[in-house]
Amino acid sequence: MKSAADVVIVGGGIFGLALAFELQQLRRRRIALIERRHLGAGASSRNVGRVRAIQLTPELARLSLACQRKHAGLSAELGANTLFWRAGYALVLYDEDEMEVMAGVDRMLREEIGLKTELIGGAESIRRMPVLEGGVRPRGSLYHRDAAAHHDAVLFAYRRAVLSRGVDLHEQTEVVGLLRSGDRIEGVTLGDGKEIRAPLVVNATGAWSSTISHMAGLEPPNVPLRREAMVTEAVKPLIDTLITFYRPTEGWLNQTLRGEVVMGVTDEHDQPGITLASTPEFAIRTATAMLSKAPILGQLRVVRQWAGMYDVTPDRKPTIGPVTSRPGLVQMNGDNGRGFLLGPKLGELLAEWLETGARPGLVAPFDVARFDAGAAAIPAATDYYAGYRKTA
């Protein structure tokens, strides 16, 4: 059976949902949104909901600040409460060389972006984040007033909005091939044998984006990496700051509006690949690191843990826009762990681009063509900051 659409969006996470919503806002058209499981089944429902403007490069910071503003108004746009709330955000630093790196980031964020960041010392860090009292003493923190939202609330709001606007939703439906005429992409083939023809096919599949790119005969730079998290029982307010640290390995913790403490520490030896299985090793690794930095957390009981996926590019920045070598194919992926933050605004910007043919300035640094000549991939286990340095 064959059908037709103006745009086929592959991937029903926050990227795909946001783009479908924004395209319908600009001009009503036939949009087919395809998700192999249920909406948000991938990383969009497996994240900690941070909406932070603090980033390590100017182009990411400019985009992220715009994304934060988009999130702040999203409840009104979608007609449902997304549980957006303001909170402190801190990159907690434990080495002197980290302080030197962050001194430059602090200047960039204040002078180029206009953020009111603060590079504070160890004593002030503990005063603002008393959860760190008694742990390994930090050298300092890069601090800013940022925000968070609830992923399930955002996904529910988007789902209701796109369905009310007539988007043709296909859940439990897998794309198994792309329809091609030479290099031109002309639609998709589904697992049930059906075809949907469309002049535009958008690859918004997150960590699964390489699969779709390979169907188009491309060799994308994206690498899927697992990230795990665990949640404690709900307790009285304990942490009012979204905390991240990168040394000795990347970790994070914050408290939700319900009082749960969410936390995680990465495995520097985790290999690329798609798996949503969480592990006992993760629980041990995370508990060990957290108790060294925030001993008070040892009083809490862990009630659940899960795994999600990052879609990582060599320069840790998204890939957005039409693929010149494959007319009809559009990339909207490379979240690098920021999918929940970026999705709503990138949906707005990409919809504008596809509608007018003019690329918005905010997404210019993230064009897919920057990898056409090859890029020096940076292994996931490399020092975190190195991932943001320019690649050859």
Side-chain angles (χ1 to χ4, degrees):
M1 181 182 297
K2 299 180 180 180
S3 59
D6 296 308
V7 183
V8 171
I9 301 172
V10 186
I14 193 166
F15 275 23
L17 283 164
L19 179 59
F21 172 78
E22 297 291 346
L23 284 171
Q24 290 285 48
Q25 289 285 91
L26 288 176
R27 181 163 61 92
R28 183 166 292 278
R29 57 172 74 208
R30 294 174 300 170
I31 298 173
L33 179 59
I34 304 172
E35 167 55 49
R36 69 186 186 93
R37 295 179 65 192
H38 58 272
L39 293 180
S44 294
S45 60
R46 296 168 177 267
N47 64 77
V48 294
R50 295 180 170 193
V51 184
R52 61 184 176 97
I54 280 189
Q55 301 292 339
L56 301 183
T57 66
E59 60 272 20
L60 281 173
R62 290 188 188 95
L63 175 61
S64 296
L65 181 57
C67 290
Q68 189 179 91
R69 291 168 176 159
K70 177 75 172 181
H71 268 280
L74 204 55
S75 293
E77 282 193 58
L78 299 179
N81 190 351
T82 62
L83 298 180
F84 176 88
W85 56 285
R86 292 285 178 178
Y89 179 81
L91 287 171
V92 182
L93 313 170
Y94 291 91
D95 294 338
E96 192 57 41
D97 64 331
E98 281 194 296
M99 291 292 289
E100 293 176 6
V101 169
M102 285 301 148
V105 172
D106 180 42
R107 286 193 299 272
M108 176 271 291
L109 292 172
R110 286 187 288 105
E111 296 172 6
E112 297 186 40
I113 312 302
L115 297 184
K116 296 180 179 179
T117 53
E118 301 174 79
L119 190 61
I120 59 178
E124 180 65 10
S125 296
I126 293 174
R127 189 189 72 79
R128 296 191 191 189
M129 294 167 278
V131 69
L132 302 177
E133 184 72 53
V136 177
R137 187 175 179 84
R139 292 294 183 93
S141 301
L142 182 61
Y143 188 89
H144 185 245
R145 193 71 177 167
D146 269 314
H150 196 285
H151 48 79
D152 288 337
V154 173
L155 290 172
F156 172 81
Y158 267 122
R159 180 190 175 96
R160 190 176 72 168
V162 299
L163 288 176
S164 70
R165 284 162 173 77
V167 170
D168 186 13
L169 176 60
H170 301 258
E171 291 182 281
Q172 306 297 327
T173 303
E174 188 169 5
V175 171
V176 297
L178 298 180
L179 301 174
R180 297 177 60 176
S181 176
D183 288 335
R184 179 171 292 279
I185 307 303
E186 297 185 335
V188 298
T189 301
L190 306 179
D192 57 8
K194 296 178 181 177
E195 295 180 355
I196 304 178
R197 292 197 166 271
L200 289 176
V201 175
V202 182
N203 180 8
T205 55
W208 291 261
S209 65
S210 294
T211 300
I212 303 299
S213 293
H214 287 146
M215 291 178 186
L218 300 174
E219 291 298 327
N222 307 52
V223 174
L225 287 175
R226 175 174 59 179
R227 289 291 182 261
E228 300 174 76
M230 66 186 190
V231 182
T232 74
E233 62 189 327
V235 293
K236 65 181 181 181
L238 180 66
I239 311 170
D240 64 359
T241 300
L242 313 169
I243 297 173
T244 296
F245 53 85
Y246 294 142
R247 300 284 176 83
T249 53
E250 181 188 357
W252 61 91
L253 67 152
N254 58 264
Q255 193 166 20
T256 70
L257 292 175
R258 293 198 300 185
E260 305 154 317
V261 177
V262 185
M263 64 187 80
V265 173
T266 63
D267 179 2
E268 60 180 346
H269 303 297
D270 212 0
Q271 295 300 305
I274 295 177
T275 174
L276 296 179
S278 194
T279 61
E281 291 78 13
F282 161 76
I284 295 170
R285 180 174 67 251
T286 299
T288 301
M290 293 300 170
L291 289 176
S292 74
K293 296 177 185 298
I296 193 174
L297 297 180
Q299 302 175 32
L300 306 184
R301 292 179 298 174
V302 174
V303 296
R304 66 183 183 277
Q305 65 184 70
W306 75 89
M309 300 299 303
Y310 283 9
D311 187 27
V312 180
T313 57
D315 59 4
R316 308 302 196 259
K317 299 167 188 173
T319 44
I320 302 294
V323 180
T324 303
S325 63
R326 296 294 185 273
L329 180 65
V330 179
Q331 301 283 24
M332 188 187 185
N333 43 63
D335 61 83
N336 294 275
R338 301 183 193 85
F340 185 78
L341 161 68
L342 299 178
K345 187 63 179 182
L346 283 184
E348 175 188 305
L349 295 170
L350 183 55
E352 177 187 335
W353 187 353
L354 297 179
E355 186 70 18
T356 66
R359 180 176 63 186
L362 273 177
V363 297
F366 313 118
D367 196 294
V368 297
R370 72 187 189 276
F371 295 123
D372 283 355
I378 298 172
T382 304
D383 179 280
Y384 187 92
Y385 303 121
Y388 292 87
R389 296 171 187 153
K390 291 183 178 180
T391 55

